[in-house]
Amino acid sequence: MPTNFYESNKAVSEYLLFHYGEDEAFLMNGIGPKEALHFARRCGRLWDGFAKNSERALDLGCAVGGSSLELSKRFDQVIGIDFAQALIDAAIRISEEKSAVISIVDEGEVTREVSIVLEKETRPENVRFRQGDAMNLEPELGAFDFVLMANLIDRLPEPKRCLESIHNWIAPDGVLAITSPYTWLEEFTPKEHWLGGYYREGRAVRAFDSLKAILQPRFELLDTRDMPFLIREHARKNQYSIAQASIWKLST
Ligand SMILES: C[S@@+](CC[C@H](N)C(=O)[O-])C[C@H]1O[C@@H](n2cnc3c(N)ncnc32)[C@H](O)[C@@H]1O
């Protein structure tokens, strides 16, 4: 197994299902929290009501590209960047072939095949996927009207470094949307770089307060909302999480 989980076949098929799977794959006999379905699509609509311009969008930590493709319904040029080459390869494959058959676990070693299909309204021809590091973005990428970081910050070794420089890639009037369940794990982020989830001098430090402290010199907070999502484990088990979305506009 690759040392980076996100390079593994397991991650590729989990994320293809998470981003493109039909409801039936998650809901046993229709039972389950329907508000938690289609997280990637919902993230790809976080610009709605906030972003004035619709030329360019950036999806950082795009995984297999579900939010990038949702963004392509609105934006003329979308760039999806992920550190894991295996996820980027899968994103390119699904956006070219527009459908795939993936194997999902039903019970123990028992699997079944399910089809996933891109929505007709997506514009894959407007999306470019590439491997890259959200903490070291190239200046040549240019500026974007909307930047999405969906469930990325608690998977970065140094989230603060990424957040402190992200304004360089945001156009005037541009909007930044961050979602995160704030699941801090030393496996991804050394503890000295956690944005929250620890005590400092006896006081609880929370990631949302750190986000405000890091971003507010340059950004204005426009909105927050709760964004539930499901990661499927097997036919009768899903992991239910609630990310917090925060939406920010570059201050003028
Ligand atoms: C929890 S997943 C979220 C994926 C997707 N945005 C979503 O909401 O389903 C975190 C993603 O961040 C990617 N990632 C981790 N470190 C990264 C980095 N330094 N630069 C870009 N992507 C990174 C991982 O490969 C993975 O695809």
Side-chain angles (χ1 to χ4, degrees), residues 6-7 38 58 149 223:
Y6 293 110
E7 292 287 4
H38 307 297
L58 174 64
M149 290 185 194
D223 196 20

Side-chain angles (χ1 to χ4, degrees), residues 26 64 91 114 119 159 233 241 250:
F26 297 88
V64 293
V114 295
E119 285 186 295
E233 287 189 29
S241 309
L250 258 192

